[in-house]
Amino acid sequence: LQKALDTVTSAKKCGADAVKLQTYSADTMTIDCNKSDFIIEGGLWHGFQLYELYTKAHTPFSWHKEIFDHARHVGITCFSTPFDETAVDLLEDLNSPAYEVASFEATDLPLVKYIASTKKPMIVSTGMANLEEINELVDTARSSGCNDLIVLHCISSYPAPTDQSNLLTIPDLRRR
């Protein structure tokens, strides 16, 4: 928790306008299973079981209030990426000013609808969605109450190879 609070303070001192958390628990992301479909292959987390990784990497729900309060105290905006409705409910209790929808959740239209119903701004990452799915997401967000919607062109590989950036997608998305 102290590292998270120090990071918020450092971000403010460095001139950042906002910090974004991720709000989930391992139990709402996956199941505790050792089968191969639940083991990461390759990359930084090779060999990790998904449940184990999410347990290790999550920001505990119990820390969120203190992080949000600290951000307000130092004068920086704090918001989050919720991964399920319980996370949205927690963030609503903390008066999160906006939400980000992660690439993997861009096709979770019930979650998009739930977030949009808060009528708060939404930032959407599109790295895992095709054009049809992006259109469905935008239609769902708009019809569910979201007036302020930012659609980001994203690549869901880290680090993303430059030859995969296809920056011409940005004006194309804007036009569509």
Side-chain angles (χ1 to χ4, degrees):
L1 175 59
Q2 190 58 53
K3 185 183 259 186
L5 299 174
D6 292 345
T7 300
V8 169
T9 301
S10 293
K12 175 62 178 176
K13 286 180 180 176
C14 290
D17 295 311
V19 292
K20 184 192 72 69
L21 308 177
Q22 291 188 339
T23 306
Y24 65 87
S25 71
D27 290 321
T28 61
M29 291 285 284
T30 189
I31 59 173
D32 190 358
C33 180
N34 288 319
K35 291 187 177 185
S36 62
D37 289 345
F38 296 87
I39 306 296
I40 298 170
E41 294 290 331
L44 180 64
W45 303 107
H46 178 76
F48 267 81
Q49 176 196 25
L50 288 175
Y51 189 88
E52 175 188 17
L53 175 61
Y54 294 146
T55 299
K56 179 181 177 76
H58 82 287
T59 302
F61 278 29
S62 62
W63 293 7
H64 278 65
K65 182 177 183 338
E66 193 164 346
I67 295 169
F68 270 75
D69 288 347
H70 182 69
R72 287 182 187 102
H73 176 74
V74 300
I76 192 169
T77 299
C78 184
F79 68 105
S80 189
T81 303
F83 287 81
D84 64 75
E85 291 182 6
T86 65
V88 176
D89 293 342
L90 170 68
L91 295 167
E92 278 297 287
D93 287 344
L94 299 174
N95 198 27
S96 181
Y99 294 98
E100 192 254 351
V101 176
S103 289
F104 279 95
E105 276 57 48
T107 59
D108 184 347
L109 298 181
L111 179 61
V112 169
K113 183 177 183 175
Y114 197 72
I115 295 168
S117 72
T118 69
K119 301 193 181 337
K120 293 184 179 172
M122 290 174 57
I123 301 167
V124 179
S125 296
T126 61
M128 297 298 292
N130 63 34
L131 188 55
E132 180 182 336
E133 292 165 335
I134 294 168
N135 286 333
E136 287 178 326
L137 181 151
V138 169
D139 290 345
T140 299
R142 294 274 190 233
S143 67
S144 300
C146 180
N147 294 318
D148 298 312
L149 181 64
I150 298 169
V151 177
L152 301 178
H153 167 57
C154 300
I155 303 165
S156 290
S157 61
Y158 302 98
T162 304
D163 65 340
Q164 292 180 11
S165 64
N166 193 12
L167 296 179
L168 290 176
T169 300
I170 297 169
D172 183 55
L173 281 174
R174 182 178 190 188
R175 181 178 49 75
R176 290 172 186 268

